[in-house]
Amino acid sequence: MRKFKEFLIEKLIFICGLASIFFVILIFLFLTKEGLAVFKYVNPVDFLMGKSWYPISEPAQLGILPLIFGSLIVTLGAAIISIPIGIACAVYIAEVAPSKIKEVLKSGIELLAAIPSVVLGFIGMVTLVPWVKTVFHLPTGLTALSGSIILAFMAMPTIVSIAEDALYSVPKSYKEGAFALGATHWQTIYRVLLPAASSGIVAAVMLGIGRVIGETMAVMMITGNAAVIPQSILVPVRTLTATIAAEMGEAVVGSEHYFALFAIGIVLFIMSFIINVTADLFLHKRH
Amino acid sequence: MHNKIKMQAKDVDFFYGKNQALKNVNLDVYANRVTAMIGPSGCGKSTFIRLFNRMNELVPHTALCGKIFLDDLEINNPSVDPVDIRRRVGMVFQKPNPFPKSIFENISYGLKVNGIKDKAFIGQKVEDSLKRAVIWGEVKDRLHDSALKLSGGQQQRLCIARCLAVETEVILFDEPCASLDPISTAKIEELILELKKDYTIIIVTHNMQQAARVSDYTGFFLLGELVEFGKTQDMFTAPRNKKTEDYITGRFG
């Protein structure tokens, strides 16, 4: 009887473990099946490199280059903002902050991670967007920059907490060794701790960016959603994610528009897959 | 009859939170001599040695009463920058702790943090230090390999070379051979005897034979107190204190 119980529980856990992989495969298969169908209407090069996205004109123009650029520019902007601040914050928490401030900051960061993206988008819309508009004298504040700033806030918690972990797990003996040689605190951080934690920090950055590239709600609310190849960071852009979210409801099932949206899904899937695998490689290098 | 005093501890009490780890310790360290600290685990000898380069400040909730001198400078005075002290008083740790960098960078690091930029000078200094630490022959063909690939004994000699490169005046050894095999230990001991020509050396050791072999002066610690301090020869042949005698003859420890 006891053996049977063990057997049952073991198998149950096994099935649960298998289920997650099974679902990923299922999603991927479904995505491919629906997405690849678009290539009956448009060849892959035109799809990826086409400069116009007019899915409901006649004939439909299904070039997603503006959307790819939209995603990239928003992500790049968010990375430029969040990486230095995030790493600096992690260094402060791991190395400099007195233990009380450290606790407060850590819970603050966790709280930031818990804010739903729609709330961040909403706050961005009423505060950040008008600010960007007046500061840069723009016709509209719904720009890639606004999206980057809000997304930076979303990437920050991931970057800070994983980078802080990485710094914390650097052996104490490295720090002692550097201090014993007469290194100042900053010299120790800069030349010993950061290099020693570098693979974990890179992983933190990649995971942060992975979160940014997949984010939908906040960007849809504040980037203006113009499917045009952006010439600067101060113009409205539309990202891959926002396109799917905005248009899936109105696309006729089985139409080329519908298939195109799934194909965008594949592109996104591949992008975040690459980012996550890179992050994983760096994380495992650490151990 | 004694030569110059290099470092000095005066009426030193030390606390970890409410625990008193050192009780009224007075001790003189003579220049160009090897001073050994012996005693059972937890007797405060490691804590004591770490006062000489203010390393205990990295541990939160610690407090020091009393004075520590390096020449005439009171080093635990708040106006003294610990960084300046550590550039004069180097330290080699119990567990070899090379940085996860190349052998070359491990040595050049200390020079760089001291503001030296001249590449030719750094290269020469790296070579000299490695030679001085008697490890040059073993690593000269792979200076740019990771230091973590070296054996434990080699790593420890690299750590000593790292310390020599910054030209400190005093070197603190905190159980430098605790994790090494007998052959590596012998090499380090030889090195210590060689180095005392130019450096003042303080060594903490668990190994009484080691203290007898390398040191000129020995301090015996027990429960945070310095029970006995004197010439090594005298202490090992005719200890004045009963507790010292019991410890060095192996009756407890």
Side-chain angles (χ1 to χ4, degrees), chain B residues 48-96:
Chain B
F48 183 62
I49 193 177
R50 292 163 72 97
L51 291 173
F52 288 103
N53 65 344
R54 291 182 57 174
M55 216 55 187
N56 283 326
E57 284 171 25
L58 300 183
V59 183
H61 312 300
T62 55
L64 166 68
C65 306
K67 289 176 178 172
I68 313 270
F69 290 94
L70 170 60
D71 294 329
D72 295 328
L73 178 69
E74 188 193 333
I75 66 168
N76 55 323
N77 192 308
S79 67
V80 174
D81 185 350
V83 169
D84 294 331
I85 299 305
R86 292 175 194 140
R87 287 176 186 180
R88 296 178 63 190
V89 182
M91 185 164 203
V92 175
F93 296 85
Q94 179 171 358
K95 217 174 138 245

Side-chain angles (χ1 to χ4, degrees), chain A:
Chain A
M1 186 60 205
R2 192 192 295 155
K3 258 197 181 149
F4 178 70
K5 224 166 147 186
E6 287 287 314
F7 172 83
L8 204 69
I9 290 172
E10 234 171 66
K11 288 298 170 230
L12 213 66
I13 296 170
F14 175 70
I15 289 168
C16 293
L18 219 58
S20 60
I21 299 173
F22 179 71
F23 285 124
V24 172
I25 293 172
L26 216 60
I27 289 170
F28 184 70
L29 284 180
F30 183 68
L31 208 56
T32 343
K33 176 181 155 283
E34 299 288 81
L36 292 182
V38 78
F39 299 125
K40 279 188 289 191
Y41 307 98
V42 54
N43 75 50
V45 177
D46 286 345
F47 179 71
L48 288 173
M49 294 296 154
K51 293 196 180 92
S52 344
W53 174 257
Y54 297 116
I56 42 179
S57 66
E58 204 50 60
Q61 292 188 297
L62 300 171
I64 64 165
L65 198 62
L67 313 179
I68 294 180
F69 269 104
S71 275
L72 289 183
I73 198 170
V74 171
T75 305
L76 193 72
I80 289 171
I81 300 167
S82 63
I83 292 171
I85 299 179
I87 293 176
C89 185
V91 168
Y92 180 73
I93 293 178
E95 274 302 310
V96 187
S99 57
K100 270 183 192 162
I101 296 181
K102 188 171 168 166
E103 289 312 309
V104 174
L105 273 177
K106 277 178 106 169
S107 21
I109 297 285
E110 271 158 36
L111 216 59
L112 187 58
I115 300 175
S117 70
V118 67
V119 174
L120 272 177
F122 169 66
I123 292 170
M125 212 158 147
V126 295
T127 58
L128 186 64
V129 167
W131 181 80
V132 168
K133 184 177 176 214
T134 41
V135 167
F136 295 98
H137 306 291
L138 301 171
T140 171
L142 297 165
T143 59
L145 178 66
S146 318
S148 293
I149 294 173
I150 286 296
L151 286 184
F153 277 108
M154 305 188 69
M156 214 95 85
T158 313
I159 295 178
V160 173
S161 56
I162 297 176
E164 197 253 334
D165 269 356
L167 282 167
Y168 187 76
S169 56
V170 172
K172 288 269 173 297
S173 63
Y174 293 172
K175 191 174 162 184
E176 284 189 332
F179 270 112
L181 285 173
T184 61
H185 199 171
W186 169 242
Q187 286 169 330
T188 305
I189 292 169
Y190 178 66
R191 287 183 189 265
V192 174
L193 299 185
L194 283 177
S198 61
S199 57
I201 291 172
V202 171
V205 166
M206 295 309 269
L207 289 171
I209 291 175
R211 180 154 187 223
V212 164
I213 215 165
E215 171 51 34
T216 309
M217 205 58 215
V219 276
M220 193 158 84
M221 291 166 81
I222 57 175
T223 54
N225 296 322
V228 183
I229 293 182
Q231 303 297 325
S232 86
I233 199 162
L234 294 172
V235 295
V237 294
R238 175 191 286 207
T239 63
L240 294 163
T241 49
T243 308
I244 300 179
E247 296 177 9
M248 197 46 117
E250 59 204 42
V252 179
V253 177
S255 68
E256 49 189 320
H257 185 195
Y258 173 86
F259 292 135
L261 292 178
F262 272 98
I264 292 176
I266 298 177
V267 173
L268 263 176
F269 187 92
I270 292 170
M271 279 170 130
S272 48
F273 184 74
I274 291 171
I275 288 172
N276 276 315
V277 168
T278 323
D280 247 26
L281 285 180
F282 276 100
L283 267 180
H284 285 132
K285 207 174 123 196
R286 235 169 95 197
H287 301 299

Side-chain angles (χ1 to χ4, degrees), chain B residues 124-142:
Chain B
Q124 188 57 45
K125 198 79 200 170
V126 168
E127 183 177 337
D128 291 347
S129 312
L130 289 168
K131 278 182 177 158
R132 198 79 214 279
V134 208
I135 187 178
W136 173 251
E138 293 155 66
V139 300
K140 64 171 190 269
D141 300 322
R142 45 176 179 149

